[in-house]
Amino acid sequence: SYFNSGIEAEYVVSNCYTGEAEYLSETKDEKRLLEIGKASCSLPFVGKQKKLGESLYMDGSMTDPIPLQHCFDKGCEKVLVLSTKGEGMNPSNLGKFKFFMRILYGKKSKPFVEACGNRLEKYYRQWDFLESRVAEGKVFLVNPQGGVAIKHLETDQEKLSLLYDEGYAYAKSHMAEIKKFLEIEVKEEETV
């Protein structure tokens, strides 16, 4: 069903050898799709580097925390952004762990380690860009309202379920606005 859907899906990964983000997709090979998915969420210290072709990869948010510019570069005119960061939540600062990352990942991954060290600054620049596009009407932002506080590496299933429910309720209550933004026809009963 995934491969026959016709929907374009890209996964952001960080190339450990170049320190750059790459945007990968797969439309035929289930095994490769699974490996891309694993690489796209393989966090430093928690996950392992994943080999795809000749390079090693890790989580794409290390090199492109908010890949909004990539969407516009691809020709998107409007973007719906689903954020996991509630008001006042700060992103992870991996810069303080560069020494340990150099030891853990070795010399070949030095560009990736440097990118991780610059991640926080890049994240804040990208967030400012996102907010400017929201103000221009080019981005619709859906983000948690702060009702559920979770840690960066939360494992409490109850808290994660509560956060999911909060996001679901938020999206449902804003569905008419989202559809209007995306220029999707809104049925009368959905505006209530």
Side-chain angles (χ1 to χ4, degrees), residues 118-188:
N118 298 324
R119 178 180 184 270
L120 206 55
E121 181 183 323
K122 187 169 193 173
Y123 174 89
Y124 288 124
R125 277 195 326 267
Q126 289 181 324
W127 189 263
D128 289 343
F129 176 69
L130 181 148
E131 288 181 327
S132 72
R133 294 309 178 261
V134 168
E136 292 174 5
K138 294 182 178 182
V139 169
F140 191 100
L141 176 63
V142 176
N143 63 332
Q145 300 305 295
V148 181
I150 63 168
K151 299 177 283 189
H152 288 289
L153 297 174
E154 186 64 66
T155 58
D156 184 325
Q157 290 299 311
E158 188 175 332
K159 283 185 179 181
L160 293 170
S161 292
L162 287 171
L163 183 63
Y164 172 86
D165 292 342
E166 179 187 296
Y168 186 87
Y170 179 89
K172 189 174 181 180
S173 68
H174 290 78
M175 190 54 66
E177 288 175 75
I178 292 169
K179 286 184 174 186
K180 184 177 179 184
F181 171 77
L182 295 173
E183 298 176 355
I184 297 171
E185 185 177 327
V186 179
K187 296 177 184 167
E188 193 167 315

Side-chain angles (χ1 to χ4, degrees), residues 15-19 44-45 49 56 58 97-116:
N15 185 315
C16 295
Y17 295 159
T18 66
F45 301 114
Q49 294 175 319
L56 293 174
M58 292 195 84
F97 300 112
K98 280 173 56 175
F99 174 78
F100 299 108
M101 292 177 75
R102 284 188 193 111
I103 294 169
L104 183 62
Y105 299 120
K107 289 181 181 180
K108 281 190 172 183
S109 294
K110 184 179 178 184
F112 172 72
V113 172
E114 291 302 314
C116 287

Side-chain angles (χ1 to χ4, degrees), residues 53-123:
E54 299 299 315
S55 294
L56 293 174
Y57 294 89
M58 292 195 84
D59 187 304
S61 72
M62 299 300 110
T63 52
D64 196 357
I66 307 171
L68 183 60
Q69 184 61 55
H70 178 70
C71 296
F72 289 121
D73 290 346
K74 288 193 62 128
C76 296
E77 294 176 12
K78 292 183 176 183
V79 180
L80 176 67
V81 175
L82 305 175
S83 174
T84 58
K85 299 284 187 235
E87 190 69 34
M89 291 178 68
N90 293 317
S92 302
N93 179 9
L94 294 176
K96 57 187 174 184
F97 300 112
K98 280 173 56 175
F99 174 78
F100 299 108
M101 292 177 75
R102 284 188 193 111
I103 294 169
L104 183 62
Y105 299 120
K107 289 181 181 180
K108 281 190 172 183
S109 294
K110 184 179 178 184
F112 172 72
V113 172
E114 291 302 314
C116 287
N118 298 324
R119 178 180 184 270
L120 206 55
E121 181 183 323
K122 187 169 193 173
Y123 174 89

